[in-house]
Amino acid sequence: MKKDICVIDDDEIYQKIIRKLITRAGVFEKAFFYMNAVDALEDLKNPETSLPSVILLDINMPAMDGWQFIELLQDSYPSLFSKCDIYIVTSSIAYSDKEKMEDLPGLAGFLSKPINVDKLVEIGEAVK
C-alpha cells in the first residue's frame, strides 16, 4: 500500500525538522509540504491529486486555520476520514482545541510538537 504524508504548517523551522524526521522514519514513499492551508486545500481539491495517507495539520495558521481546512476539505471529500488519517499537530495547550477535536471523531489524533521519529513510524504503520 502506498503511504504518502502531507504536512501543513506555517512554521519554517518545524518544516525543516519534520522533513528530516520523515526521511529518517522511512515509512512514507512521498511527502508533501505546505506553508499554508489555502495552498494545500487548492492542491488537494484538484481532481488529479489523490489524498495522502496521512495529513499532519497545524491548527493555528494565518488566512485559514486547520479547523477551516478540514471543514472545506470535507466538502470535497464527504468520506474524508475513511480515506485519510488526519492528525492535529500543535504547540498549543489550549483545552478548547482538544474540545474541537472531540467534535470531529474521525480525526486520527492530537499530537503535541515536537514529533519524533518513533511517532512517525507508529503513524505510518497504522495507516488505513
Side-chain angles (χ1 to χ4, degrees):
M1 171 190 242
K2 183 179 93 168
K3 296 179 187 179
D4 296 343
I5 188 167
C6 174
V7 177
I8 306 168
D9 196 300
D10 64 323
D11 183 332
E12 278 186 60
I13 294 170
Y14 174 74
Q15 284 267 355
K16 288 178 183 178
I17 293 168
I18 198 71
R19 280 177 191 265
K20 290 179 182 181
L21 295 175
I22 288 169
T23 300
R24 284 188 198 148
V27 292
F28 297 100
E29 292 175 35
K30 292 183 183 175
F32 305 93
F33 300 90
Y34 298 93
M35 292 296 294
N36 65 70
V38 174
D39 290 345
L41 184 64
E42 184 178 316
D43 281 354
L44 293 174
K45 287 177 77 172
N46 180 337
E48 296 177 15
T49 303
S50 57
L51 282 173
S53 307
V54 175
I55 296 176
L56 301 181
L57 178 64
D58 185 19
I59 50 175
N60 297 312
M61 294 180 286
M64 179 188 300
D65 67 25
W67 304 119
Q68 293 165 317
F69 170 83
I70 291 170
E71 183 179 321
L72 293 171
L73 191 58
Q74 268 188 299
D75 289 345
S76 295
Y77 297 95
S79 58
L80 174 66
F81 297 122
S82 66
K83 295 179 179 183
C84 179
D85 293 335
I86 300 177
Y87 291 85
I88 299 300
V89 182
T90 185
S91 53
S92 168
I93 56 171
Y95 184 74
S96 61
D97 290 335
K98 288 188 179 184
E99 284 181 325
K100 281 184 184 179
M101 187 179 153
E102 290 173 10
D103 293 337
L104 295 167
L107 288 174
F110 188 94
L111 306 171
S112 295
K113 291 180 184 174
I115 298 174
N116 60 38
V117 172
D118 292 338
K119 190 61 173 176
L120 287 169
V121 170
E122 180 183 320
I123 289 169
E125 290 176 349
V127 168
K128 297 174 185 166

